[in-house]
C-alpha cells in the first residue's frame, strides 16, 4: 500500500488529536464527580464531561464573554442564580467534550474507510455537535416561554374569576398554582413557597415576574403589585382587563403560528415539485437523444 502526503498529514493530525484527547482525559479524571448529579436525559455522555472541563482549565477560560453573560442569565432562569455558574461550566464542558470526541471518531473512520469525504463529514458533525450543545439552553428557554404563554391566558382568567368571586389574591393564587405542573404553574408554586417562608406577598409576585422573563407575564406581575397597593377591588378590575388583552393576544399568536406552519409546508412541496419535474423531464430528454 502506498501512502500519499495527504494520508500522512491526516494520520498525523489524527494521532495528535487522539493524544490531546487522552491528555485531557487523564488530566480531568479527578473532576469526574463534578458531573455526577446531572441527569443523563438532559446531559448525554456526562461521564466524560471532565475532558472538556480539563481543556477549559488548561487554557484558563474565564467565562466572561458577552455570550457567557447571556447564557448565565438563561441558566439563572432555568436552574436559579445559585446554580447558574455550575451549569455554565457544564454547558461549556459538554460541547467541548462531545465536539472533540466526534472529531477523534472522524479520524478513526477515515483510517478504516480511507476516504477523505468521510473525514469531512465527521469534522462537519463535530462542529455541528459543538454548535448544537451550545444552543440547547436557548432552545429550552424558548420552549419554556412558549409553554408559559400557552398556559398564561387560562391562568389569568381563573385568577380574575376567583378574585371577582371574592377570594383574596393569595388564596386564589394558591388554588390555581397546584392545578398544573408545567413551567408557569411551577413558578407560581415557587411564589407560594416564598410567601410561606416569610417573603412579602408583593415581593414574591415581583420575583415571579422576574423569573418568568416574558414581557406579558412581567406586566401581569406588575398589575398584581399595583392592585395589591390600591386594594382588592381595583385588582379585580385590572385582572379582568388584562385577561381580555391576553386572550386577544393569544388569538393573534395562534393565527401567526398557523401562517408559519403554512410557509414551512412550502419547502417540502417545492422539493416534491422539483422531484416530479426531474422524473418527467429526464425520460423526455433521453428519448430526444435517441
Amino acid at each position: 500500500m502506498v501512502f500519499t502526503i495527504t494520508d500522512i498529514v491526516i494520520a498525523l493530525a489524527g494521532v495528535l488529536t487522539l493524544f490531546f484527547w487522552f491528555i485531557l482525559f487523564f488530566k480531568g479524571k479527578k473532576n469526574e464527580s463534578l458531573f455526577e448529579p446531572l441527569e443523563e436525559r438532559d446531559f448525554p455522555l456526562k461521564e466524560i464531561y471532565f475532558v472538556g472541563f480539563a481543556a477549559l482549565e488548561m487554557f484558563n477560560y474565564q467565562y466572561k464573554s458577552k455570550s457567557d453573560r447571556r447564557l448565565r442569565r438563561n441558566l439563572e432562569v432555568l436552574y436559579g442564580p445559585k446554580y447558574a455558574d455550575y451549569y455554565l461550566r457544564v454547558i461549556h464542558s459538554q460541547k467541548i467534550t462531545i465536539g472533540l470526541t466526534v472529531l477523534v471518531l472522524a479520524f478513526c473512520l477515515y483510517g478504516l474507510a480511507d476516504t477523505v469525504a468521510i473525514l469531512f463529514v465527521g469534522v462537519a458533525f463535530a462542529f455541528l455537535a459543538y454548535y448544537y450543545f451550545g444552543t440547547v439552553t436557548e432552545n429550552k428557554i424558548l420552549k419554556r416561554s412558549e409553554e408559559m404563554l400557552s398556559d398564561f391566558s387560562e391562568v389569568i382568567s381563573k385568577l380574575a374569576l376567583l378574585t371577582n368571586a371574592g377570594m383574596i389574591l393569595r388564596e386564589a393564587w394558591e388554588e390555581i398554582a397546584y392545578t398544573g405542573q408545567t413551567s408557569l404553574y411551577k413558578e407560581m408554586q415557587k411564589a407560594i413557597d416564598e410567601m410561606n417562608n416569610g417573603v412579602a406577598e408583593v415581593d414574591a409576585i415581583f420575583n415571579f415576574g422576574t423569573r418568568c422573563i416574558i414581557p406579558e407575564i412581567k406586566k401581569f406581575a406588575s398589575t398584581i403589585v399595583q392592585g395589591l397597593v390600591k386594594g382588592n377591588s381595583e385588582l379585580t378590575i385590572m385582572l379582568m382587563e388584562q385577561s381580555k388583552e391576553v386572550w386577544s393576544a393569544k388569538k393573534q399568536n395562534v393565527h401567526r403560528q398557523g401562517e408559519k406552519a403554512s410557509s414551512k409546508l412550502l419547502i417540502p412541496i417545492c422539493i416534491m415539485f422539483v422531484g416530479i419535474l426531474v422524473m418527467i423531464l429526464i425520460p423526455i430528454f433521453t428519448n430526444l437523444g435517441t
Side-chain angles (χ1 to χ4, degrees), residues 31 34-35 49-73 75-76 84-97 130:
N31 297 310
L34 188 65
F35 304 98
Y49 284 3
F50 57 82
V51 172
F53 188 72
L56 292 165
E57 285 190 323
M58 181 182 291
F59 293 103
N60 194 29
Y61 189 71
Q62 296 299 310
Y63 306 94
K64 292 181 179 179
S65 68
K66 184 178 179 180
S67 60
D68 286 335
R69 290 194 295 271
R70 184 173 63 251
L71 179 58
R72 186 182 279 106
R73 287 194 296 270
L75 291 170
E76 286 177 357
D85 285 330
Y86 168 72
Y87 279 99
L88 180 63
R89 284 159 174 76
V90 167
I91 297 298
H92 279 292
S93 301
Q94 179 190 44
K95 64 182 185 177
I96 291 173
T97 299
Y130 181 87

Side-chain angles (χ1 to χ4, degrees), residues 151 158 175-186 189:
D151 294 331
K158 288 180 180 178
E175 180 77 21
I176 296 165
Y178 292 96
T179 58
Q181 287 300 318
T182 52
S183 300
L184 184 59
Y185 292 100
K186 287 179 180 178
Q189 292 166 20

